[in-house]
Amino acid sequence: MTTSTAIAATTPERPPPHPSRLLVAGLLVGPLFTAAYLVEGALRGDGYSPLRHPVSSLALGPQGWQQIANFVVCGLLVVLFSIGLRRTLRTGPGALAVPLLVAVWGIGLIGAGIFVTDPVGGYPTAASPVTWHGQLHDLAFSLPAFAALTLAMLTATVAFARRRSGWFALYSALSGTVFAVLFAFALIGFAGTDPWTSTAGLWQRLCVSVGWLWLALLATNRRRAARRAGR
């Protein structure tokens, strides 16, 4: 009994199985989401303008199922990535907060797909009815998701500075700031405020691209850390 206890006490804790495999989701999700909405936007007629209209508007109309699927699939990938992120950060600064905020971004994408947006900027109709699912899309999922990803970047700034990864801390600070500013420009444009209206879709796409790039580099950072740790 004593011998068994001593062996158990000296046996190191087994690391989580294959966290790097889940981190791959963080590398794939941005290019997948971007490629999907670029193709959909290029093929979508009927007055849709990628420069003016949000990505969410692609979920409207007969082909809207494509963007709905894009939201849901990519949201699930982000949630999987957040699990792998939690496993590799394990303990220390940001170990819980950063993965949790990233997961909120993923859940927001899923919700944005399930609850489609209302017409914005005259697409697909000039009328702008306010529906319950449109309100859920905006207030329960989209806005919290963008806020969460901003906070994830800013939290990572502090966390990685304390983890002595200065370059990623600085990059996270810059990304979070640019992400928030671009999102503000997009919101102003979608609200119908000139001169931002005609380019609101562009600001949103630039904003989302900043976020996807940050997630991809975060995944790269943690995969390298996992390899160094011998996983």
Side-chain angles (χ1 to χ4, degrees):
M1 188 69 165
T2 305
T3 304
S4 301
T5 304
I7 293 174
T10 58
T11 301
E13 182 182 357
R14 180 175 296 178
H18 306 299
S20 292
R21 292 183 181 178
L22 293 177
L23 294 176
V24 172
L27 299 174
L28 298 178
V29 62
L32 175 62
F33 186 86
T34 303
Y37 78 65
L38 286 175
V39 172
E40 292 170 43
L43 298 178
R44 183 70 61 95
D46 304 323
Y48 182 83
S49 170
L51 292 178
R52 180 184 182 93
H53 299 120
V55 172
S56 294
S57 292
L58 290 168
L60 301 172
Q63 289 80 41
W65 65 269
Q66 299 169 354
Q67 182 56 38
I68 291 173
N70 190 27
F71 274 133
V72 173
V73 170
C74 290
L76 290 172
L77 286 174
V78 171
V79 172
L80 289 175
F81 168 62
S82 72
I83 296 171
L85 185 61
R86 176 70 182 95
R87 289 177 177 178
T88 55
L89 288 173
R90 301 186 71 177
T91 59
L96 179 61
V98 174
L100 181 61
L101 290 166
V102 169
V104 173
W105 169 251
I107 293 169
L109 291 173
I110 296 170
I114 296 173
F115 302 101
V116 297
T117 186
D118 291 329
V120 177
Y123 180 84
T125 63
S128 300
V130 177
T131 64
W132 64 270
H133 54 78
Q135 290 294 289
L136 283 175
H137 177 96
D138 290 341
L139 302 179
F141 293 101
S142 293
L143 286 175
F146 277 93
L149 192 55
T150 303
L151 289 174
M153 296 177 194
L154 298 180
T155 302
T157 300
V158 178
F160 280 89
R162 293 176 63 186
R163 289 172 179 265
R164 299 187 178 182
S165 181
W167 75 269
F168 197 79
L170 177 60
Y171 171 68
S172 296
L174 293 174
S175 295
T177 303
V178 173
F179 185 85
V181 170
L182 291 173
F183 182 58
F185 287 169
L187 281 181
I188 293 170
F190 292 142
T193 305
D194 289 326
W196 308 100
T197 304
S198 61
T199 55
L202 174 63
W203 296 122
Q204 187 200 46
R205 284 160 173 78
L206 290 174
C207 170
V208 172
S209 296
V210 170
W212 289 134
L213 180 60
W214 179 78
L215 284 175
L217 291 181
L218 176 60
T220 301
N221 178 285
R222 299 324 301 163
R223 278 170 59 82
R224 288 175 178 171
R227 286 171 183 159
R228 287 195 298 268
R231 297 182 193 144

